Amino acid sequence: GGCEAQQRALTLDANWRWVHGQTCQGTGPAAQCYSSGNCFTDGVWDSTMCPDPESCAENCALEGVTLDDYDSTYGVAAIPGGVELGFVRGPNVGSRLYVLEKPDKYKLFKLLNREFTFDVDVSTLPCGLNGALYFSEMDEDGGMKHSGNKAGAKYGTGYCDAQCPHDVKFMEGKSNTLEWNTSAALGKYGLCCAEVDIWEANSMATAFTMHPCTIDGTYLCKGKECGDNAKNERYDGVCDKDGCDFN
């Protein structure tokens, strides 16, 4: 019995990463690739590199993040036994991190009949901000089973949750550029999956919430099945967006 310490890596969600054009010479491990400008700038997709979802996924690449950039750009710093997350670093707000089991696989947590504990210092997290630690039913490989996704879990792809978010830039190996709203930074499709909010809190309040769905695994939604608030369809979607919460 008891707990055993495990050393694991974290990776940054793809939506926070630099998305740039890529030109490659050669094939396989010997290929030499070069960046060629932004694919996405201030909520707007580049029309030349992203004329359609398939071409955009082929022409654009997600940039890796150096250890220094994690801290200076995204506010993620290593501390003994974990990480410290800042909220604002220049133009970047917040961060979303995933635990990796292997360089190309997310860690899958099997919690049935097991204890899950963690420590968070919320002393400087004021009312109005939401610190969150939660599980969502993402694909272990980050969606690399889809042919257009060459990045995978290593680069933080495949995010989904019970809110069926429309702001995920790449879904199932394609960009979410169709019907893209540049003001709200939202696309036509959403990516839904079951979600368990273990901890959503600040120094004044905390909540634990279950968000089940009628679908299994990651699901690409469109129309009413997304349950969009803006269309007054919140309770018509495939996931329980309100959930059942304790606070």
Side-chain angles (χ1 to χ4, degrees), residues 81-131:
V83 292
E84 181 178 77
L85 306 181
F87 185 53
V88 177
R89 283 292 191 277
N92 289 295
V93 177
S95 58
R96 188 159 59 213
L97 303 174
Y98 308 121
V99 180
L100 294 172
E101 180 66 29
K102 301 177 181 179
D104 60 348
K105 302 286 185 183
Y106 293 127
K107 180 174 177 60
L108 301 184
F109 288 82
K110 307 293 186 179
L111 299 180
L112 186 63
N113 296 325
R114 295 180 178 179
E115 179 179 328
F116 180 85
T117 64
F118 58 96
D119 293 308
V120 183
D121 179 2
V122 298
S123 62
T124 59
L125 192 61
C127 184
L129 294 182
N130 178 35

mmCIF file of all heavy atoms in Angstrom, residues 81-131:
data_model
loop_
_atom_site.group_PDB
_atom_site.id
_atom_site.type_symbol
_atom_site.label_atom_id
_atom_site.label_comp_id
_atom_site.label_asym_id
_atom_site.label_seq_id
_atom_site.Cartn_x
_atom_site.Cartn_y
_atom_site.Cartn_z
ATOM 1 N N GLY A 81 9.018 19.404 -6.495
ATOM 2 C CA GLY A 81 7.812 18.588 -6.407
ATOM 3 C C GLY A 81 6.683 18.987 -7.317
ATOM 4 O O GLY A 81 5.584 18.421 -7.244
ATOM 5 N N GLY A 82 6.889 19.957 -8.214
ATOM 6 C CA GLY A 82 5.791 20.343 -9.086
ATOM 7 C C GLY A 82 6.102 21.545 -9.941
ATOM 8 O O GLY A 82 7.257 21.780 -10.321
ATOM 9 N N VAL A 83 5.080 22.339 -10.240
ATOM 10 C CA VAL A 83 5.241 23.537 -11.061
ATOM 11 C C VAL A 83 4.473 24.697 -10.434
ATOM 12 O O VAL A 83 3.516 24.496 -9.691
ATOM 13 C CB VAL A 83 4.735 23.344 -12.512
ATOM 14 C CG1 VAL A 83 5.602 22.370 -13.267
ATOM 15 C CG2 VAL A 83 3.278 22.895 -12.526
ATOM 16 N N GLU A 84 4.909 25.898 -10.756
ATOM 17 C CA GLU A 84 4.213 27.111 -10.357
ATOM 18 C C GLU A 84 3.662 27.763 -11.612
ATOM 19 O O GLU A 84 4.385 27.947 -12.597
ATOM 20 C CB GLU A 84 5.173 28.062 -9.647
ATOM 21 C CG GLU A 84 4.526 29.345 -9.167
ATOM 22 C CD GLU A 84 5.509 30.234 -8.421
ATOM 23 O OE1 GLU A 84 6.331 30.882 -9.104
ATOM 24 O OE2 GLU A 84 5.474 30.251 -7.181
ATOM 25 N N LEU A 85 2.379 28.096 -11.601
ATOM 26 C CA LEU A 85 1.719 28.646 -12.776
ATOM 27 C C LEU A 85 1.418 30.122 -12.566
ATOM 28 O O LEU A 85 0.663 30.486 -11.651
ATOM 29 C CB LEU A 85 0.417 27.893 -13.070
ATOM 30 C CG LEU A 85 0.521 26.372 -13.218
ATOM 31 C CD1 LEU A 85 -0.848 25.777 -13.524
ATOM 32 C CD2 LEU A 85 1.508 26.007 -14.309
ATOM 33 N N GLY A 86 1.985 30.964 -13.399
ATOM 34 C CA GLY A 86 1.635 32.373 -13.410
ATOM 35 C C GLY A 86 0.380 32.572 -14.242
ATOM 36 O O GLY A 86 -0.077 31.663 -14.945
ATOM 37 N N PHE A 87 -0.195 33.765 -14.178
ATOM 38 C CA PHE A 87 -1.440 33.995 -14.917
ATOM 39 C C PHE A 87 -1.225 34.796 -16.195
ATOM 40 O O PHE A 87 -1.749 34.446 -17.245
ATOM 41 C CB PHE A 87 -2.455 34.703 -14.019
ATOM 42 C CG PHE A 87 -3.811 34.881 -14.655
ATOM 43 C CD1 PHE A 87 -4.493 33.802 -15.195
ATOM 44 C CD2 PHE A 87 -4.402 36.133 -14.729
ATOM 45 C CE1 PHE A 87 -5.734 33.956 -15.799
ATOM 46 C CE2 PHE A 87 -5.638 36.308 -15.322
ATOM 47 C CZ PHE A 87 -6.306 35.209 -15.851
ATOM 48 N N VAL A 88 -0.442 35.860 -16.124
ATOM 49 C CA VAL A 88 -0.219 36.709 -17.297
ATOM 50 C C VAL A 88 1.276 36.876 -17.529
ATOM 51 O O VAL A 88 2.027 37.222 -16.615
ATOM 52 C CB VAL A 88 -0.869 38.099 -17.128
ATOM 53 C CG1 VAL A 88 -0.566 38.974 -18.333
ATOM 54 C CG2 VAL A 88 -2.377 37.965 -16.937
ATOM 55 N N ARG A 89 1.706 36.595 -18.762
ATOM 56 C CA ARG A 89 3.077 36.866 -19.189
ATOM 57 C C ARG A 89 2.997 37.588 -20.525
ATOM 58 O O ARG A 89 2.726 36.971 -21.553
ATOM 59 C CB ARG A 89 3.873 35.570 -19.366
ATOM 60 C CG ARG A 89 4.341 34.915 -18.091
ATOM 61 C CD ARG A 89 5.402 35.735 -17.367
ATOM 62 N NE ARG A 89 6.018 34.983 -16.290
ATOM 63 C CZ ARG A 89 5.524 34.858 -15.075
ATOM 64 N NH1 ARG A 89 4.370 35.446 -14.785
ATOM 65 N NH2 ARG A 89 6.150 34.158 -14.155
ATOM 66 N N GLY A 90 3.164 38.910 -20.507
ATOM 67 C CA GLY A 90 3.044 39.673 -21.745
ATOM 68 C C GLY A 90 1.662 39.495 -22.346
ATOM 69 O O GLY A 90 0.647 39.652 -21.661
ATOM 70 N N PRO A 91 1.576 39.114 -23.633
ATOM 71 C CA PRO A 91 0.272 38.932 -24.266
ATOM 72 C C PRO A 91 -0.386 37.597 -23.927
ATOM 73 O O PRO A 91 -1.553 37.378 -24.250
ATOM 74 C CB PRO A 91 0.604 38.998 -25.769
ATOM 75 C CG PRO A 91 2.004 38.483 -25.846
ATOM 76 C CD PRO A 91 2.693 38.973 -24.595
ATOM 77 N N ASN A 92 0.358 36.685 -23.279
ATOM 78 C CA ASN A 92 -0.186 35.362 -22.969
ATOM 79 C C ASN A 92 -0.919 35.375 -21.632
ATOM 80 O O ASN A 92 -0.407 35.859 -20.633
ATOM 81 C CB ASN A 92 0.937 34.323 -22.934
ATOM 82 C CG ASN A 92 1.486 34.038 -24.312
ATOM 83 O OD1 ASN A 92 0.796 33.514 -25.173
ATOM 84 N ND2 ASN A 92 2.741 34.398 -24.528
ATOM 85 N N VAL A 93 -2.110 34.791 -21.650
ATOM 86 C CA VAL A 93 -2.923 34.700 -20.443
ATOM 87 C C VAL A 93 -3.155 33.229 -20.113
ATOM 88 O O VAL A 93 -3.666 32.467 -20.941
ATOM 89 C CB VAL A 93 -4.280 35.411 -20.621
ATOM 90 C CG1 VAL A 93 -5.136 35.247 -19.375
ATOM 91 C CG2 VAL A 93 -4.068 36.878 -20.940
ATOM 92 N N GLY A 94 -2.766 32.836 -18.891
ATOM 93 C CA GLY A 94 -2.991 31.471 -18.445
ATOM 94 C C GLY A 94 -2.147 30.447 -19.186
ATOM 95 O O GLY A 94 -1.262 30.772 -19.985
ATOM 96 N N SER A 95 -2.419 29.193 -18.893
ATOM 97 C CA SER A 95 -1.757 28.078 -19.560
ATOM 98 C C SER A 95 -2.591 26.828 -19.304
ATOM 99 O O SER A 95 -3.383 26.788 -18.355
ATOM 100 C CB SER A 95 -0.331 27.865 -19.037
ATOM 101 O OG SER A 95 -0.358 27.625 -17.637
ATOM 102 N N ARG A 96 -2.429 25.829 -20.161
ATOM 103 C CA ARG A 96 -3.093 24.541 -19.932
ATOM 104 C C ARG A 96 -2.056 23.452 -20.178
ATOM 105 O O ARG A 96 -1.460 23.380 -21.260
ATOM 106 C CB ARG A 96 -4.299 24.362 -20.866
ATOM 107 C CG ARG A 96 -5.145 23.139 -20.544
ATOM 108 C CD ARG A 96 -6.556 23.262 -21.110
ATOM 109 N NE ARG A 96 -6.576 23.428 -22.535
ATOM 110 C CZ ARG A 96 -7.483 24.155 -23.203
ATOM 111 N NH1 ARG A 96 -8.418 24.810 -22.531
ATOM 112 N NH2 ARG A 96 -7.450 24.253 -24.506
ATOM 113 N N LEU A 97 -1.832 22.637 -19.161
ATOM 114 C CA LEU A 97 -0.775 21.635 -19.213
ATOM 115 C C LEU A 97 -1.348 20.238 -19.077
ATOM 116 O O LEU A 97 -2.367 20.027 -18.404
ATOM 117 C CB LEU A 97 0.228 21.863 -18.070
ATOM 118 C CG LEU A 97 0.904 23.230 -17.986
ATOM 119 C CD1 LEU A 97 1.736 23.306 -16.721
ATOM 120 C CD2 LEU A 97 1.763 23.473 -19.222
ATOM 121 N N TYR A 98 -0.668 19.278 -19.712
ATOM 122 C CA TYR A 98 -1.056 17.878 -19.616
ATOM 123 C C TYR A 98 0.113 17.038 -19.121
ATOM 124 O O TYR A 98 1.273 17.353 -19.390
ATOM 125 C CB TYR A 98 -1.481 17.334 -20.990
ATOM 126 C CG TYR A 98 -2.526 18.172 -21.687
ATOM 127 C CD1 TYR A 98 -2.266 18.733 -22.940
ATOM 128 C CD2 TYR A 98 -3.762 18.415 -21.106
ATOM 129 C CE1 TYR A 98 -3.219 19.502 -23.587
ATOM 130 C CE2 TYR A 98 -4.715 19.186 -21.744
ATOM 131 C CZ TYR A 98 -4.443 19.726 -22.986
ATOM 132 O OH TYR A 98 -5.382 20.492 -23.617
ATOM 133 N N VAL A 99 -0.196 15.953 -18.425
ATOM 134 C CA VAL A 99 0.821 15.021 -17.956
ATOM 135 C C VAL A 99 1.063 13.973 -19.049
ATOM 136 O O VAL A 99 0.113 13.399 -19.593
ATOM 137 C CB VAL A 99 0.383 14.324 -16.656
ATOM 138 C CG1 VAL A 99 1.464 13.362 -16.178
ATOM 139 C CG2 VAL A 99 0.078 15.355 -15.583
ATOM 140 N N LEU A 100 2.332 13.739 -19.363
ATOM 141 C CA LEU A 100 2.713 12.741 -20.356
ATOM 142 C C LEU A 100 3.178 11.461 -19.672
ATOM 143 O O LEU A 100 3.942 11.501 -18.712
ATOM 144 C CB LEU A 100 3.835 13.261 -21.254
ATOM 145 C CG LEU A 100 3.507 14.438 -22.173
ATOM 146 C CD1 LEU A 100 4.781 14.952 -22.836
ATOM 147 C CD2 LEU A 100 2.483 14.037 -23.222
ATOM 148 N N GLU A 101 2.732 10.323 -20.183
ATOM 149 C CA GLU A 101 3.238 9.028 -19.720
ATOM 150 C C GLU A 101 4.497 8.662 -20.491
ATOM 151 O O GLU A 101 5.459 8.133 -19.942
ATOM 152 C CB GLU A 101 2.177 7.945 -19.918
ATOM 153 C CG GLU A 101 2.594 6.554 -19.472
ATOM 154 C CD GLU A 101 2.798 6.455 -17.961
ATOM 155 O OE1 GLU A 101 2.131 7.209 -17.213
ATOM 156 O OE2 GLU A 101 3.621 5.632 -17.535
ATOM 157 N N LYS A 102 4.471 8.970 -21.794
ATOM 158 C CA LYS A 102 5.602 8.789 -22.699
ATOM 159 C C LYS A 102 5.706 10.056 -23.544
ATOM 160 O O LYS A 102 4.778 10.872 -23.544
ATOM 161 C CB LYS A 102 5.393 7.566 -23.594
ATOM 162 C CG LYS A 102 5.226 6.259 -22.843
ATOM 163 C CD LYS A 102 4.942 5.114 -23.823
ATOM 164 C CE LYS A 102 4.748 3.791 -23.088
ATOM 165 N NZ LYS A 102 4.440 2.683 -24.033
ATOM 166 N N PRO A 103 6.797 10.229 -24.289
ATOM 167 C CA PRO A 103 6.905 11.453 -25.097
ATOM 168 C C PRO A 103 5.751 11.680 -26.061
ATOM 169 O O PRO A 103 5.430 12.827 -26.379
ATOM 170 C CB PRO A 103 8.227 11.244 -25.853
ATOM 171 C CG PRO A 103 9.034 10.375 -24.951
ATOM 172 C CD PRO A 103 8.047 9.442 -24.321
ATOM 173 N N ASP A 104 5.098 10.604 -26.502
ATOM 174 C CA ASP A 104 4.013 10.752 -27.478
ATOM 175 C C ASP A 104 2.662 10.250 -26.957
ATOM 176 O O ASP A 104 1.736 10.047 -27.726
ATOM 177 C CB ASP A 104 4.365 10.022 -28.773
ATOM 178 C CG ASP A 104 4.601 8.525 -28.557
ATOM 179 O OD1 ASP A 104 4.706 8.100 -27.380
ATOM 180 O OD2 ASP A 104 4.683 7.784 -29.551
ATOM 181 N N LYS A 105 2.547 10.067 -25.625
ATOM 182 C CA LYS A 105 1.299 9.568 -25.044
ATOM 183 C C LYS A 105 0.971 10.345 -23.772
ATOM 184 O O LYS A 105 1.834 10.586 -22.934
ATOM 185 C CB LYS A 105 1.409 8.083 -24.678
ATOM 186 C CG LYS A 105 1.760 7.152 -25.827
ATOM 187 C CD LYS A 105 0.596 6.937 -26.781
ATOM 188 C CE LYS A 105 0.960 5.906 -27.841
ATOM 189 N NZ LYS A 105 -0.138 5.741 -28.831
ATOM 190 N N TYR A 106 -0.300 10.715 -23.636
ATOM 191 C CA TYR A 106 -0.742 11.306 -22.381
ATOM 192 C C TYR A 106 -0.844 10.232 -21.300
ATOM 193 O O TYR A 106 -1.073 9.055 -21.589
ATOM 194 C CB TYR A 106 -2.122 11.956 -22.541
ATOM 195 C CG TYR A 106 -2.144 13.168 -23.437
ATOM 196 C CD1 TYR A 106 -3.043 13.258 -24.503
ATOM 197 C CD2 TYR A 106 -1.287 14.242 -23.224
ATOM 198 C CE1 TYR A 106 -3.084 14.371 -25.322
ATOM 199 C CE2 TYR A 106 -1.332 15.366 -24.040
ATOM 200 C CZ TYR A 106 -2.227 15.420 -25.090
ATOM 201 O OH TYR A 106 -2.251 16.521 -25.898
ATOM 202 N N LYS A 107 -0.692 10.645 -20.065
ATOM 203 C CA LYS A 107 -0.904 9.723 -18.956
ATOM 204 C C LYS A 107 -2.401 9.544 -18.750
ATOM 205 O O LYS A 107 -3.150 10.524 -18.640
ATOM 206 C CB LYS A 107 -0.265 10.240 -17.668
ATOM 207 C CG LYS A 107 -0.463 9.303 -16.483
ATOM 208 C CD LYS A 107 0.303 9.754 -15.258
ATOM 209 C CE LYS A 107 0.025 8.832 -14.071
ATOM 210 N NZ LYS A 107 0.424 7.420 -14.341
ATOM 211 N N LEU A 108 -2.856 8.302 -18.701
ATOM 212 C CA LEU A 108 -4.253 7.996 -18.425
ATOM 213 C C LEU A 108 -4.390 7.646 -16.948
ATOM 214 O O LEU A 108 -3.739 6.720 -16.462
ATOM 215 C CB LEU A 108 -4.730 6.827 -19.298
ATOM 216 C CG LEU A 108 -4.620 7.025 -20.808
ATOM 217 C CD1 LEU A 108 -5.217 5.831 -21.542
ATOM 218 C CD2 LEU A 108 -5.329 8.306 -21.247
ATOM 219 N N PHE A 109 -5.234 8.370 -16.256
ATOM 220 C CA PHE A 109 -5.432 8.134 -14.832
ATOM 221 C C PHE A 109 -6.607 7.178 -14.622
ATOM 222 O O PHE A 109 -7.710 7.427 -15.101
ATOM 223 C CB PHE A 109 -5.705 9.454 -14.107
ATOM 224 C CG PHE A 109 -4.513 10.350 -13.988
ATOM 225 C CD1 PHE A 109 -4.145 11.174 -15.050
ATOM 226 C CD2 PHE A 109 -3.752 10.378 -12.832
ATOM 227 C CE1 PHE A 109 -3.044 12.016 -14.947
ATOM 228 C CE2 PHE A 109 -2.650 11.211 -12.722
ATOM 229 C CZ PHE A 109 -2.295 12.026 -13.779
ATOM 230 N N LYS A 110 -6.364 6.080 -13.938
ATOM 231 C CA LYS A 110 -7.393 5.093 -13.610
ATOM 232 C C LYS A 110 -7.732 5.265 -12.134
ATOM 233 O O LYS A 110 -7.008 4.810 -11.254
ATOM 234 C CB LYS A 110 -6.890 3.677 -13.885
ATOM 235 C CG LYS A 110 -6.334 3.471 -15.288
ATOM 236 C CD LYS A 110 -7.413 3.571 -16.359
ATOM 237 C CE LYS A 110 -6.861 3.226 -17.731
ATOM 238 N NZ LYS A 110 -7.893 3.284 -18.785
ATOM 239 N N LEU A 111 -8.838 5.940 -11.837
ATOM 240 C CA LEU A 111 -9.102 6.395 -10.484
ATOM 241 C C LEU A 111 -10.083 5.536 -9.699
ATOM 242 O O LEU A 111 -10.260 5.749 -8.498
ATOM 243 C CB LEU A 111 -9.634 7.831 -10.525
ATOM 244 C CG LEU A 111 -8.703 8.888 -11.122
ATOM 245 C CD1 LEU A 111 -9.373 10.251 -11.085
ATOM 246 C CD2 LEU A 111 -7.385 8.928 -10.381
ATOM 247 N N LEU A 112 -10.735 4.580 -10.330
ATOM 248 C CA LEU A 112 -11.745 3.791 -9.633
ATOM 249 C C LEU A 112 -11.125 3.063 -8.439
ATOM 250 O O LEU A 112 -10.143 2.333 -8.574
ATOM 251 C CB LEU A 112 -12.384 2.786 -10.586
ATOM 252 C CG LEU A 112 -13.572 1.990 -10.022
ATOM 253 C CD1 LEU A 112 -14.729 2.938 -9.671
ATOM 254 C CD2 LEU A 112 -14.033 0.936 -11.027
ATOM 255 N N ASN A 113 -11.705 3.295 -7.257
ATOM 256 C CA ASN A 113 -11.248 2.679 -6.004
ATOM 257 C C ASN A 113 -9.816 3.069 -5.640
ATOM 258 O O ASN A 113 -9.101 2.317 -4.974
ATOM 259 C CB ASN A 113 -11.361 1.146 -6.069
ATOM 260 C CG ASN A 113 -12.801 0.697 -6.205
ATOM 261 O OD1 ASN A 113 -13.708 1.312 -5.644
ATOM 262 N ND2 ASN A 113 -13.018 -0.367 -6.961
ATOM 263 N N ARG A 114 -9.393 4.228 -6.098
ATOM 264 C CA ARG A 114 -8.065 4.719 -5.764
ATOM 265 C C ARG A 114 -8.158 6.128 -5.200
ATOM 266 O O ARG A 114 -9.135 6.841 -5.419
ATOM 267 C CB ARG A 114 -7.153 4.721 -6.999
ATOM 268 C CG ARG A 114 -6.863 3.329 -7.535
ATOM 269 C CD ARG A 114 -5.959 3.387 -8.738
ATOM 270 N NE ARG A 114 -5.639 2.047 -9.226
ATOM 271 C CZ ARG A 114 -4.868 1.810 -10.291
ATOM 272 N NH1 ARG A 114 -4.336 2.823 -10.959
ATOM 273 N NH2 ARG A 114 -4.627 0.574 -10.672
ATOM 274 N N GLU A 115 -7.127 6.518 -4.491
ATOM 275 C CA GLU A 115 -7.072 7.853 -3.908
ATOM 276 C C GLU A 115 -6.264 8.778 -4.801
ATOM 277 O O GLU A 115 -5.217 8.389 -5.324
ATOM 278 C CB GLU A 115 -6.420 7.791 -2.519
ATOM 279 C CG GLU A 115 -6.305 9.156 -1.849
ATOM 280 C CD GLU A 115 -5.673 9.060 -0.472
ATOM 281 O OE1 GLU A 115 -5.869 8.036 0.211
ATOM 282 O OE2 GLU A 115 -4.977 10.018 -0.083
ATOM 283 N N PHE A 116 -6.769 9.992 -4.976
ATOM 284 C CA PHE A 116 -6.072 11.005 -5.772
ATOM 285 C C PHE A 116 -5.940 12.254 -4.918
ATOM 286 O O PHE A 116 -6.948 12.825 -4.479
ATOM 287 C CB PHE A 116 -6.851 11.308 -7.053
ATOM 288 C CG PHE A 116 -6.195 12.338 -7.929
ATOM 289 C CD1 PHE A 116 -5.213 11.966 -8.825
ATOM 290 C CD2 PHE A 116 -6.552 13.679 -7.858
ATOM 291 C CE1 PHE A 116 -4.598 12.915 -9.639
ATOM 292 C CE2 PHE A 116 -5.945 14.625 -8.666
ATOM 293 C CZ PHE A 116 -4.964 14.235 -9.555
ATOM 294 N N THR A 117 -4.718 12.658 -4.637
ATOM 295 C CA THR A 117 -4.508 13.843 -3.811
ATOM 296 C C THR A 117 -3.533 14.794 -4.487
ATOM 297 O O THR A 117 -2.717 14.382 -5.318
ATOM 298 C CB THR A 117 -3.959 13.478 -2.422
ATOM 299 O OG1 THR A 117 -2.661 12.888 -2.570
ATOM 300 C CG2 THR A 117 -4.880 12.512 -1.710
ATOM 301 N N PHE A 118 -3.612 16.062 -4.123
ATOM 302 C CA PHE A 118 -2.714 17.071 -4.681
ATOM 303 C C PHE A 118 -2.698 18.265 -3.742
ATOM 304 O O PHE A 118 -3.585 18.424 -2.895
ATOM 305 C CB PHE A 118 -3.156 17.495 -6.085
ATOM 306 C CG PHE A 118 -4.546 18.054 -6.147
ATOM 307 C CD1 PHE A 118 -4.761 19.422 -6.114
ATOM 308 C CD2 PHE A 118 -5.639 17.211 -6.230
ATOM 309 C CE1 PHE A 118 -6.042 19.944 -6.157
ATOM 310 C CE2 PHE A 118 -6.934 17.725 -6.269
ATOM 311 C CZ PHE A 118 -7.127 19.087 -6.236
ATOM 312 N N ASP A 119 -1.696 19.079 -3.880
ATOM 313 C CA ASP A 119 -1.569 20.283 -3.068
ATOM 314 C C ASP A 119 -1.493 21.503 -3.982
ATOM 315 O O ASP A 119 -0.779 21.491 -4.991
ATOM 316 C CB ASP A 119 -0.301 20.231 -2.211
ATOM 317 C CG ASP A 119 -0.370 19.140 -1.158
ATOM 318 O OD1 ASP A 119 -1.366 19.107 -0.417
ATOM 319 O OD2 ASP A 119 0.559 18.318 -1.091
ATOM 320 N N VAL A 120 -2.223 22.544 -3.620
ATOM 321 C CA VAL A 120 -2.201 23.802 -4.370
ATOM 322 C C VAL A 120 -2.143 24.963 -3.389
ATOM 323 O O VAL A 120 -2.878 24.983 -2.395
ATOM 324 C CB VAL A 120 -3.449 23.964 -5.266
ATOM 325 C CG1 VAL A 120 -3.352 25.243 -6.084
ATOM 326 C CG2 VAL A 120 -3.637 22.764 -6.179
ATOM 327 N N ASP A 121 -1.290 25.910 -3.655
ATOM 328 C CA ASP A 121 -1.226 27.136 -2.863
ATOM 329 C C ASP A 121 -2.123 28.181 -3.525
ATOM 330 O O ASP A 121 -1.802 28.704 -4.589
ATOM 331 C CB ASP A 121 0.220 27.637 -2.791
ATOM 332 C CG ASP A 121 0.354 28.937 -2.001
ATOM 333 O OD1 ASP A 121 -0.672 29.435 -1.480
ATOM 334 O OD2 ASP A 121 1.479 29.450 -1.928
ATOM 335 N N VAL A 122 -3.263 28.462 -2.906
ATOM 336 C CA VAL A 122 -4.216 29.421 -3.482
ATOM 337 C C VAL A 122 -4.206 30.749 -2.728
ATOM 338 O O VAL A 122 -5.094 31.586 -2.918
ATOM 339 C CB VAL A 122 -5.655 28.854 -3.494
ATOM 340 C CG1 VAL A 122 -5.740 27.619 -4.360
ATOM 341 C CG2 VAL A 122 -6.130 28.552 -2.072
ATOM 342 N N SER A 123 -3.225 30.947 -1.881
ATOM 343 C CA SER A 123 -3.208 32.134 -1.027
ATOM 344 C C SER A 123 -3.175 33.435 -1.816
ATOM 345 O O SER A 123 -3.641 34.471 -1.335
ATOM 346 C CB SER A 123 -2.019 32.073 -0.071
ATOM 347 O OG SER A 123 -0.786 32.053 -0.783
ATOM 348 N N THR A 124 -2.639 33.385 -3.031
ATOM 349 C CA THR A 124 -2.573 34.602 -3.849
ATOM 350 C C THR A 124 -3.518 34.530 -5.055
ATOM 351 O O THR A 124 -3.372 35.299 -6.003
ATOM 352 C CB THR A 124 -1.138 34.855 -4.333
ATOM 353 O OG1 THR A 124 -0.695 33.725 -5.109
ATOM 354 C CG2 THR A 124 -0.196 35.060 -3.164
ATOM 355 N N LEU A 125 -4.481 33.600 -5.026
ATOM 356 C CA LEU A 125 -5.455 33.459 -6.115
ATOM 357 C C LEU A 125 -6.765 34.108 -5.674
ATOM 358 O O LEU A 125 -7.545 33.519 -4.930
ATOM 359 C CB LEU A 125 -5.671 31.980 -6.432
ATOM 360 C CG LEU A 125 -6.433 31.635 -7.717
ATOM 361 C CD1 LEU A 125 -5.692 32.154 -8.945
ATOM 362 C CD2 LEU A 125 -6.644 30.136 -7.819
ATOM 363 N N PRO A 126 -7.034 35.336 -6.106
ATOM 364 C CA PRO A 126 -8.159 36.098 -5.551
ATOM 365 C C PRO A 126 -9.508 35.676 -6.119
ATOM 366 O O PRO A 126 -9.600 34.937 -7.111
ATOM 367 C CB PRO A 126 -7.815 37.531 -5.960
ATOM 368 C CG PRO A 126 -7.064 37.377 -7.238
ATOM 369 C CD PRO A 126 -6.253 36.120 -7.077
ATOM 370 N N CYS A 127 -10.545 36.180 -5.496
ATOM 371 C CA CYS A 127 -11.911 35.988 -5.972
ATOM 372 C C CYS A 127 -12.021 36.510 -7.405
ATOM 373 O O CYS A 127 -11.474 37.554 -7.745
ATOM 374 C CB CYS A 127 -12.875 36.738 -5.064
ATOM 375 S SG CYS A 127 -14.614 36.492 -5.462
ATOM 376 N N GLY A 128 -12.729 35.750 -8.262
ATOM 377 C CA GLY A 128 -12.887 36.144 -9.662
ATOM 378 C C GLY A 128 -11.977 35.395 -10.605
ATOM 379 O O GLY A 128 -12.190 35.418 -11.817
ATOM 380 N N LEU A 129 -10.938 34.728 -10.071
ATOM 381 C CA LEU A 129 -10.059 33.889 -10.890
ATOM 382 C C LEU A 129 -10.353 32.417 -10.594
ATOM 383 O O LEU A 129 -10.786 32.069 -9.496
ATOM 384 C CB LEU A 129 -8.583 34.197 -10.608
ATOM 385 C CG LEU A 129 -8.108 35.589 -11.012
ATOM 386 C CD1 LEU A 129 -6.617 35.725 -10.723
ATOM 387 C CD2 LEU A 129 -8.385 35.869 -12.482
ATOM 388 N N ASN A 130 -10.103 31.565 -11.580
ATOM 389 C CA ASN A 130 -10.418 30.146 -11.449
ATOM 390 C C ASN A 130 -9.184 29.306 -11.739
ATOM 391 O O ASN A 130 -8.744 29.192 -12.880
ATOM 392 C CB ASN A 130 -11.539 29.770 -12.432
ATOM 393 C CG ASN A 130 -11.880 28.292 -12.362
ATOM 394 O OD1 ASN A 130 -11.829 27.687 -11.301
ATOM 395 N ND2 ASN A 130 -12.233 27.709 -13.497
ATOM 396 N N GLY A 131 -8.610 28.745 -10.690
ATOM 397 C CA GLY A 131 -7.574 27.751 -10.885
ATOM 398 C C GLY A 131 -8.241 26.406 -11.093
ATOM 399 O O GLY A 131 -9.220 26.091 -10.408
#
